[in-house]
């Protein structure tokens, strides 16, 4: 059996958002979602089983720093699940590197647990098909199930642990790029899990969100199949704004925006008015992503750099699914 494995997974950005769970124990979402896997800023993770009986817990490093607290606890809980399924009692050492800021609403947990799921499954001898890996990754971080696949991906909400997983959507020839304005790379004050729970429990807008998202997914899939960039962009921007409106209805409100976020959203609207077709989306963080055609990506990136001093601006097309190295 292979006792060491290294995997790479890329972040994904949801065009139709995942926000809210109907079962926290096994990470079942309240609705489905639909995303684009990026071709930049992957997570690379190595899982090595420890052949030393004196070691009584999993060990981990992230970007060269020892994992502690909640970060380590999430990894250990995930590896407990893998061990249970593999019939193993071996602890592991996890070495992970993120090329995108961690905990800033930039999908680091998606790439992180996507890579961890694939590397851990290989190291512990689980022979899983992609859909099974996707369902496994979901147990670490819901959006990680989508990073198992490349390109445009749909997360099927499912009825139970096994049926809630992602699937790749057919390539219709859409020429999509994302320009990511990293306006605030630090960790956010409230993590996504806590913010989702607060929204589900206290926002009067949440039932309407749950009712609307399945319609958004079907409309988005139709727009993708027709290679209708305008419809894809309009749906993505509207869905993101609805998600944030739902959060703002929570008690107390969940607000990830900052003044630069609003300025970036205004800039996207200005670019459209000037004839550069592009659309904004935001996740659980202040950073703004701009959906565009690839030929417009560098122009948009340059405008963002001119508008905001000393920020990172990332440009990406469609990326691959998770893979072993």
């Amino acid at each position: 059996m292979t006792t060491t494995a290294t995997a790479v997974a890329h972040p994904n950005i949801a065009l139709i958002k995942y926000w809210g769970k109907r079962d926290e124990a096994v990470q079942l979402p309240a609705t489905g979602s639909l995303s684009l896997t990026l071709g930049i800023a992957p997570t690379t993770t190595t899982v090595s089983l420890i052949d030393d009986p004196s070691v009584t817990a999993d060990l981990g490093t992230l970007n060269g720093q020892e994992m502690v607290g909640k970060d380590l606890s999430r990894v250990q809980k995930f590896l407990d699940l893998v061990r249970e399924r593999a019939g193993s009692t071996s602890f592991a050492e996890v070495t992970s590197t993120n090329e995108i800021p961690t905990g800033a609403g930039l999908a680091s947990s998606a790439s992180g647990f996507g890579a961890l799921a694939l590397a851990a499954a290989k190291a512990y001898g689980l022979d899983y098909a992609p859909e099974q890996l996707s369902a496994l990754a979901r147990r670490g971080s819901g959006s990680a199930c989508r990073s198992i696949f490349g390109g445009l991906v749909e997360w099927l909400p499912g009825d139970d642990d096994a049926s809630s997983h992602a699937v790749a959507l057919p390539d219709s020839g859409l020429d999509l790029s994302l320009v990511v304005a990293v306006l605030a790379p630090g960790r956010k004050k409230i993590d996504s899990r806590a913010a989702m729970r607060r929204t589900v429990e206290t926002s009067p807008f949440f039932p309407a969100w749950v009712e609307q998202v399945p319609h958004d997914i079907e409309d988005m899939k139709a727009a993708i199949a027709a290679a209708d960039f305008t419809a894809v962009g309009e749906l993505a921007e509207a869905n993101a704004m609805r998600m944030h409106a739902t959060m703002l209805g929570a008690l107390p409100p969940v607000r990830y925006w900052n003044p630069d976020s609003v300025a970036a959203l205004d800039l996207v609207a200005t670019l459209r008015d000037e004839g550069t077709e592009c659309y904004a989306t935001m996740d659980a963080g202040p950073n703004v992503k701009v959906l565009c055609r690839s030929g417009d990506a560098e122009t948009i990136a340059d405008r963002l750099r001119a508008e905001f001093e000393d920020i990172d601006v990332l440009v990406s097309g469609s990326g691959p699914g998770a893979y072993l190295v």
Side-chain angles (χ1 to χ4, degrees), residues 176-194:
L176 296 179
S177 285
L178 269 175
V179 181
V180 182
V182 186
L183 302 169
R187 283 185 181 265
K188 53 204 178 190
K189 292 182 179 179
I190 177 171
D191 68 32
S192 296
R193 290 189 176 196

Side-chain angles (χ1 to χ4, degrees), residues 227-246:
D228 186 341
F229 173 74
T230 298
V232 167
E234 290 176 345
L235 283 162
E237 187 168 282
N239 180 266
M241 296 303 102
R242 289 180 187 135
M243 182 184 78
H244 283 272
T246 304

Side-chain angles (χ1 to χ4, degrees), residues 41-62:
T43 298
T44 302
T45 297
T46 298
V47 175
S48 300
L49 305 195
I50 300 171
D51 185 19
D52 183 348
S54 68
V55 176
T56 58
D58 299 304
L59 308 172
T61 60
L62 176 62

